[in-house]
Amino acid sequence: MSYEISRNIIKNELVEKIEELSGQNVFDCYQCGTCSAGCPVVEYMDIMPNQVMRLAQFGATEDLINSETIWICSACLQCSTRCPKGIEVAKVMEALRSINLRKRIGTLDPNKIEAEELQDLPPIALVGAFRKLTG
Amino acid sequence: MNLPYYPGCTLKANAENFEDSAIKVMEILDYQLIEMKDWVCCGTVFSMTTDDLMLQLASIRNLLRAEEQNLNELVVLCSMCYNTLQRAKQFITEDEENLNKVNDLMYKENIRYQGTVDIIHLLTVLKDRITFDKIKEKVKKPLSSLKIGGYYGCLLVRPQEFAIDDFEDPSIIEDLFSSLGAESIAFPYRLECCGAYQTITKKDVTIKRTYEIINSARRAGCEAIVTSCPLCAFNLDQRQKETAEEFIEFEKMPVFYFTELMSVALGGGWDKKWSKLHYVDPQPILKEKGLL
Ligand code: SF4
Ligand code: SF4
Ligand code: SF4
Ligand code: SF4
C-alpha cells in the first residue's frame, strides 16, 4: 500500500468528523500496537486497529470508511481498555460505522436473513446487529 | 425482601431458563424479584457516537419508567442490558445538555428523567448483599467435583467503570461457584469476546471464537461453562452445532446460565423445560455428578 501524504489530505473533513463522533483525538496514537494485539477478531480484518488509527492520522479516510474491518469489529472494548494512551479505539470504529450507516450503508439487510436462521436467533442478536450493522 | 428487576426481551424468549432459574434461586435466598412495569427493550448495544441521543432513548425510557414507579434500583440479569443501561445513564446524566435534550425529546412523558435509579447486576446482589458465605450455608447439593469455567465475555468487565469486578482479573463467578461446592477454573479465554451480534453477518467468525473459547476452557480442565449473557449463551452453546461441523475434532461442552446451576445446588432442582433451551444436552454431566 502506498499513500500520498500532504497537508490537504491530512486536514480532511472526514478526520474531523471521526474525531467529533468518537470524541477521540486520533493524533494521540503512537502506534504501539496494543489494540491490535488484543483484538479477538483481528485475523479477519483487512486493516488492523492500530493501522486504522495511523490511516486516520494520514487522512486516508476513504480506505477506512470502505474497510471490512469496521464491520468485523464486535465492539468488545478490549482495545479501548488496553490502549496506554487512553484512546477509545472502539469509539473510532463506531464513528466509522456510523458515517456509513447514516448514508444508509450497512452490511445487514434484515430481509435477507434466512427464515430458518431467523427462527433460532435470539432477540439480543437481532437487535444488536440491526443497531450496529443495518444502514 | 422485594427487588425490582428489569428482564429484557431475550429473557422472555430464548433465555426463559435464565429468568426462571433466577427467580427460583432468589426465592430460596428469601428475595422476590419483582418485574418492573411497562419496560421495553433496552436497545441491546450501547451507541458510542457522541451526537446521536435518539439511540439512547430505549434505555433511558426504561429508567424513566422506573423513576415513575418510584424505584431506586433495578436488578438486571442479562450482561448486555446491564452494560447498555449503565452506559446510557452515564452518557445522558453526566452532561446537563444531553439530559435536557433527551427530556425534550421525550416531551410527552409525565415526568422528566433525572437519573436516580441505580442499575445492579444480579451477581453483584449475590456477592455484596446476600454474600457468598450465606449462599454457602444454603447449599443442599454441593456441585462437588464439577469443574466450572466462568465466562465473563466483554460486558460484565468492560468498560472498566462498570466492571462488576476487577476488569482484567475478576473472580466473582469463580468465588460464587466455589461457595456452591464446585471446582472453579479461571480459564484463559474467559474475558474474550464471543463475537456477539456478528453471529448473524459473520457466522464463520463466531464459530471460530466459540471453537477457541470452548477449547481454552477444555484445556484448562473445565467440564461446563457458565455465563450471564443470552448472546454469549447463544454463541457458545447453539453455535457448537456449526463448530462441530467445521472442526471435526471439536468436543462439545454444556453451557449453563449461572442461575441454573445455583438452582441445582440450592435445592431448587433442575427444571426439565430448561433443557429444551440448550443445544448441548446439560443433563448427562448433571447425572454423572449425581446432581439430577
Ligand atoms: S493501543 Fe492506543 S496508542 Fe497503541 S496503537 Fe492502539 S490506539 Fe495507538
Ligand atoms: S472493539 Fe473492535 S477493534 Fe476493539 S478489540 Fe474489540 S473487536 Fe477489536
Ligand atoms: S440486551 Fe438483550 S435481553 Fe436485554 S433488553 Fe436488550 S435485547 Fe433484550
Ligand atoms: S462475550 Fe459476546 S455476547 Fe457476551 S458480552 Fe461479550 S460480546 Fe456480548
Side-chain angles (χ1 to χ4, degrees), chain B residues 61-77:
Chain B
R61 234 183 255 283
N62 283 305
L63 299 174
L64 176 125
R65 287 279 163 279
E67 285 182 14
E68 227 167 33
Q69 291 161 32
N70 293 318
L71 307 176
N72 303 322
E73 62 178 8
L74 275 182
V75 175
V76 181
L77 279 61

Side-chain angles (χ1 to χ4, degrees), chain B residues 5-268:
Chain B
Y5 92 101
Y6 170 84
C9 28
T10 305
L11 268 67
K12 298 292 179 185
N14 310 52
E16 269 181 305
N17 45 337
F18 190 10
E19 180 179 48
D20 229 43
S21 52
I23 291 175
K24 193 177 228 181
V25 161
M26 291 304 280
E27 264 168 20
I28 296 171
L29 297 169
D30 301 322
Y31 282 82
Q32 310 293 323
L33 285 177
I34 309 286
E35 182 174 329
M36 71 172 281
K37 288 194 244 28
D38 301 326
W39 58 270
V40 292
C41 173
C42 67
T44 302
V45 282
F46 176 67
S47 164
M48 293 186 278
T49 46
T50 51
D51 65 341
D52 196 341
L53 298 178
M54 283 300 274
L55 286 171
Q56 310 296 343
L57 279 192
S59 287
I60 297 298
R61 234 183 255 283
N62 283 305
L63 299 174
L64 176 125
R65 287 279 163 279
E67 285 182 14
E68 227 167 33
Q69 291 161 32
N70 293 318
L71 307 176
N72 303 322
E73 62 178 8
L74 275 182
V75 175
V76 181
L77 279 61
C78 162
S79 312
M80 286 189 103
C81 304
Y82 167 76
N83 190 275
T84 304
L85 293 170
Q86 286 280 35
R87 287 160 83 191
K89 177 185 166 185
Q90 181 195 46
F91 180 63
I92 297 303
T93 53
E94 76 181 3
D95 181 322
E96 216 177 303
E97 201 185 317
N98 281 348
L99 185 60
N100 286 331
K101 277 191 194 158
V102 150
N103 273 313
D104 291 345
L105 282 169
M106 302 189 294
Y107 67 95
K108 287 204 168 162
E109 297 289 352
N110 294 323
I111 57 165
R112 285 180 78 82
Y113 171 66
Q114 294 179 5
T116 53
V117 178
D118 290 333
I119 299 137
I120 316 172
H121 195 276
L122 183 64
L123 280 164
T124 306
V125 175
L126 294 172
K127 176 175 170 244
D128 295 342
R129 242 177 258 180
I130 301 178
T131 75
F132 295 157
D133 285 339
K134 269 268 148 49
I135 292 174
K136 193 173 179 176
E137 286 168 19
K138 300 230 175 180
V139 171
K140 296 240 163 60
K141 260 193 188 174
L143 306 176
S144 314
S145 81
L146 187 57
K147 299 192 180 80
I148 292 288
Y151 178 70
Y152 293 82
C154 323
L155 300 180
L156 287 179
V157 284
R158 291 186 289 274
Q160 194 174 353
E161 63 245 76
F162 298 124
I164 62 165
D165 197 359
D166 188 294
F167 80 109
E168 288 274 18
D169 187 21
S171 66
I172 181 168
I173 301 181
E174 286 81 1
D175 295 344
L176 170 64
F177 277 85
S178 299
S179 76
L180 299 172
E183 190 178 322
S184 293
I185 299 177
F187 69 101
Y189 274 36
R190 68 205 170 113
L191 312 180
E192 291 270 328
C193 177
C194 67
Y197 49 82
Q198 301 291 15
T199 199
I200 302 181
T201 48
K202 306 277 178 210
K203 205 165 161 183
D204 54 324
V205 175
T206 34
I207 290 168
K208 182 84 185 296
R209 296 308 299 150
T210 298
Y211 176 74
E212 280 168 359
I213 292 164
I214 305 273
N215 276 349
S216 165
R218 168 119 21 230
R219 277 196 300 271
C222 303
E223 297 168 309
I225 282 181
V226 294
T227 173
S228 77
C229 172
L231 188 48
C232 304
F234 179 78
N235 284 338
L236 294 185
D237 183 19
Q238 317 289 329
R239 285 283 183 245
Q240 285 191 50
K241 179 167 180 274
E242 289 91 344
T243 308
E245 285 162 9
E246 178 90 21
F247 302 94
I248 40 169
E249 86 295 356
F250 178 73
E251 256 184 275
K252 293 176 186 163
M253 182 180 286
V255 177
F256 295 90
Y257 289 109
F258 66 96
T259 46
E260 289 178 305
L261 285 180
M262 283 186 77
S263 170
V264 170
L266 299 177

